[in-house]
Amino acid sequence: MKKYDYIILGTGPAAYQLIKLLATQHKSILAIESGLFGGTCPNVGCEPKIYLDGAVQAALLSKQLEGHGIEQAATMNWSQLMREKKERFASWANETRKNISKVCDVISGSAHFIDWQTIEANRHYFQGNKIIIATGRRPHELSIPGAKFVHDSSDVLSLNKLPEHVTFIGGGYVAMELATFLAAAGSQVTILVRGDRVLRHFYQKYSRELVVRMKQRGIQFEFETEPTRITQLSDKYVVELNQDGPIVTDYVVNASGRMPNIEKLDLSAAQIDYSTRGIDVDRHLQTNVKNIYAIGDVTSQDVPNLTPVAEFQAQYLFNSLEKGLTQPINYPAIGTGVFAFPQLAQAGINPDSVLEDGDNFKIREYELSQSSLYAGQKEKGLLTVVYDKANYIVGVSEISMSAVNDINYFVPIIGLRINKNEWHRNVLPIYPALADKIEGILR
């Protein structure tokens, strides 16, 4: 039985970052991957998504500016765009495996625990002084008749032919972004939302506004609606609902959420605590078993499941295990965005959480469309800023065509607690752009 300093389960952003760091310490490492090397983000997630988003944003913005200096809006060629996307990303998984293989041993296959320090993979046994679980998440599985007919986000991001009508199940990131992409390319899109709102973790005023603007582009929303059965009818599918009549569609996408990849690990064999939310860890990213840790999306922590967060956890764990860091993990200001059209983005405190706390927080909204930056655009941009009692910015939310990049200006302001005098003394941003207007928002 071969023994290692570290056994790492998964090779996504958290694991990949940790492997690179541990390799600098000349540790013996075994990486085991049951899926695509590199995980979801570079292969079937954020990287290919943002590649497609570039074309989608250009097409939709040209349509918005039609009659405002643009004579004819751009049209998308989905098949051509998908061919180019596949050419760009097809080799990433193999390249990631080659890179990892240069610094550690690698196994392709499923792994599971035998006990607190032993892993079985491909009928071989391995022991690790420390074991790191970084297996990420996968799409939530539907438990309705006909679930075998649904597709997930990975399928959509490799979809060669554009369906005439697409039905999404869910109202989170995946549904809102991919619905935007397919509708921009020419599909008729319907989104089924189980509750009464979308994007629950975002400022709800702007989430509702996003729904309004997506409806104006022809995307249909059905709230408090769940599928109860899916059946095939010739080359189409019938989605039966808990209310109203059925929907006949060409393609059904399960975007009802993601679940931790833990069921094949046999965590109980190592007596590791977990729930449906993921693996439980303390503020040192340690499970209840002293030599076993978990990082990335597979944990049950109440932090955004984002690539930068996973990589931050990997850096923290390396410093803790190899550099003697004893302090618990302390997350910085975290920005997050939805690449719909318009975009939603936020960082710090969500205004919804302090709407009733006027004694400790002040909330102010700014209409960005008054700026020359937005001349010719039909839709206005809105920015909401949360100030604390000392007038420092502690939260921002925005809906606009450039919300993601705009909010990135505010992440260091929140994290470093910068006031107006410090900004004026240390920063001269490009003019004219949003950054030069931040001084008027700082207090």
Side-chain angles (χ1 to χ4, degrees):
M1 187 186 303
K2 192 166 184 179
K3 297 183 179 181
Y4 292 89
D5 294 321
Y6 290 91
I7 295 177
I8 301 178
L9 307 181
T11 60
Y16 189 43
Q17 175 77 353
L18 183 59
I19 289 168
K20 291 190 297 182
L21 293 169
L22 292 173
T24 65
Q25 305 300 300
H26 308 290
K27 298 297 180 179
S28 60
I29 308 167
L30 171 64
I32 305 175
E33 176 59 69
S34 62
L36 293 171
F37 278 79
T40 297
C41 179
N43 292 295
V44 292
C46 42
E47 290 285 352
K49 174 193 77 176
I50 205 65
Y51 182 84
L52 299 179
D53 180 72
V56 170
Q57 294 288 328
L60 289 176
L61 185 58
S62 73
K63 184 174 181 62
Q64 186 183 89
L65 293 175
E66 195 171 17
H68 296 264
I70 299 295
E71 290 189 1
Q72 184 174 352
T75 56
M76 289 179 59
N77 185 325
W78 179 268
S79 297
Q80 182 183 52
L81 180 62
M82 190 56 62
R83 283 197 303 272
E84 294 190 4
K85 172 260 172 187
K86 288 183 176 181
E87 289 176 4
R88 179 179 177 87
F89 293 98
S91 62
W92 282 33
N94 287 335
E95 289 175 0
T96 302
R97 175 174 181 148
K98 289 179 182 178
N99 290 337
I100 293 175
S101 298
K102 293 176 182 178
V103 296
C104 71
D105 291 346
V106 171
I107 291 178
S108 293
S110 296
H112 66 93
F113 283 90
I114 300 299
D115 57 35
W116 60 275
Q117 66 177 132
T118 309
I119 295 291
E120 180 184 359
N122 297 347
R123 299 184 179 180
H124 294 280
Y125 295 88
F126 308 92
Q127 285 192 336
N129 291 332
K130 293 182 176 63
I131 299 175
I132 317 297
I133 306 171
T135 49
R137 290 180 178 251
R138 70 180 192 282
H140 173 263
E141 297 173 0
L142 294 178
S143 57
I144 60 172
K148 65 181 180 180
F149 296 123
V150 305
H151 300 270
D152 60 24
S153 58
S154 300
D155 298 325
V156 176
L157 291 172
S158 296
L159 187 59
N160 293 319
K161 183 180 179 181
L162 192 70
E164 183 177 339
H165 183 274
V166 182
T167 299
F168 283 88
I169 302 170
Y173 282 88
V174 172
M176 301 297 279
E177 292 178 342
L178 296 185
T180 297
F181 294 0
L182 293 178
S187 292
Q188 180 184 350
V189 175
T190 301
I191 301 177
L192 309 179
V193 184
R194 181 176 62 180
D196 61 353
R197 66 191 69 183
V198 299
L199 301 169
R200 289 179 174 272
H201 298 295
F202 281 79
Y203 183 30
Q204 282 303 295
K205 178 179 179 179
Y206 291 170
S207 294
R208 291 191 297 269
E209 179 65 22
L210 177 60
V211 169
V212 169
R213 299 191 193 184
M214 291 175 71
K215 284 182 175 179
Q216 290 170 349
R217 296 201 308 277
I219 298 173
Q220 298 179 340
F221 287 82
E222 300 292 340
F223 289 96
E224 298 183 342
T225 302
E226 294 183 77
T228 57
R229 178 188 297 270
I230 302 172
T231 55
Q232 190 170 14
L233 179 66
S234 186
D235 59 346
K236 295 184 180 293
Y237 299 92
V238 178
V239 183
E240 298 180 26
L241 308 174
N242 63 331
Q243 58 180 5
D244 299 327
I247 293 175
V248 179
T249 188
D250 298 289
Y251 200 82
V252 183
V253 182
N254 173 21
S256 58
R258 299 180 68 82
M259 56 192 293
N261 276 321
I262 55 177
E263 77 287 345
K264 294 181 181 180
L265 295 177
D266 197 4
L267 297 174
S268 59
Q271 298 183 337
I272 299 169
D273 290 341
Y274 66 96
S275 68
T276 56
R277 297 180 62 243
I279 295 174
D280 297 333
V281 293
D282 62 16
R283 293 192 63 198
H284 299 271
L285 304 180
Q286 186 178 53
T287 71
N288 60 300
V289 181
K290 66 178 182 179
N291 69 309
I292 301 176
Y293 300 79
I295 54 177
D297 295 357
V298 75
T299 74
S300 62
Q301 297 176 93
D302 189 20
V303 293
N305 292 321
L306 303 170
T307 292
V309 174
E311 292 174 339
F312 181 83
Q313 292 172 355
Q315 181 68 62
Y316 168 82
L317 191 59
F318 171 75
N319 291 338
S320 177
L321 298 179
E322 293 293 328
K323 296 298 182 180
L325 179 68
T326 59
Q327 290 89 350
I329 191 167
N330 182 29
Y331 290 98
I334 300 172
T336 183
V338 179
F339 290 85
F341 189 89
Q343 299 173 347
L344 286 189
Q346 64 184 30
I349 293 176
N350 185 325
D352 286 325
S353 66
V354 294
L355 284 176
E356 306 300 325
D357 192 359
D359 293 334
N360 295 302
F361 298 96
K362 302 173 186 175
I363 299 174
R364 184 174 177 184
E365 185 171 81
Y366 301 85
E367 187 172 333
L368 301 175
S369 54
Q370 295 176 350
S371 165
S372 297
L373 293 169
Y374 293 84
Q377 296 184 18
K378 297 179 182 178
E379 297 180 354
K380 61 184 179 181
L382 297 170
L383 169 69
T384 292
V385 181
V386 180
Y387 301 92
D388 66 9
K389 293 175 70 173
N391 281 330
Y392 283 96
I393 293 177
V394 292
V396 284
S397 297
E398 181 175 328
I399 179 169
S400 78
M401 258 51 72
S402 57
V404 171
N405 285 328
D406 292 353
I407 291 300
N408 267 339
Y409 288 123
F410 288 96
V411 174
I413 291 173
I414 295 172
L416 299 174
R417 287 184 68 80
I418 296 172
N419 60 30
K420 186 171 185 176
N421 291 334
E422 291 168 325
W423 178 270
H424 182 72
R425 184 169 58 249
N426 296 299
V427 177
L428 278 177
I430 294 172
Y431 176 88
L434 178 69
D436 82 88
K437 304 184 184 307
I438 288 179
E439 184 179 345
I441 296 172
L442 290 165
R443 292 188 173 188

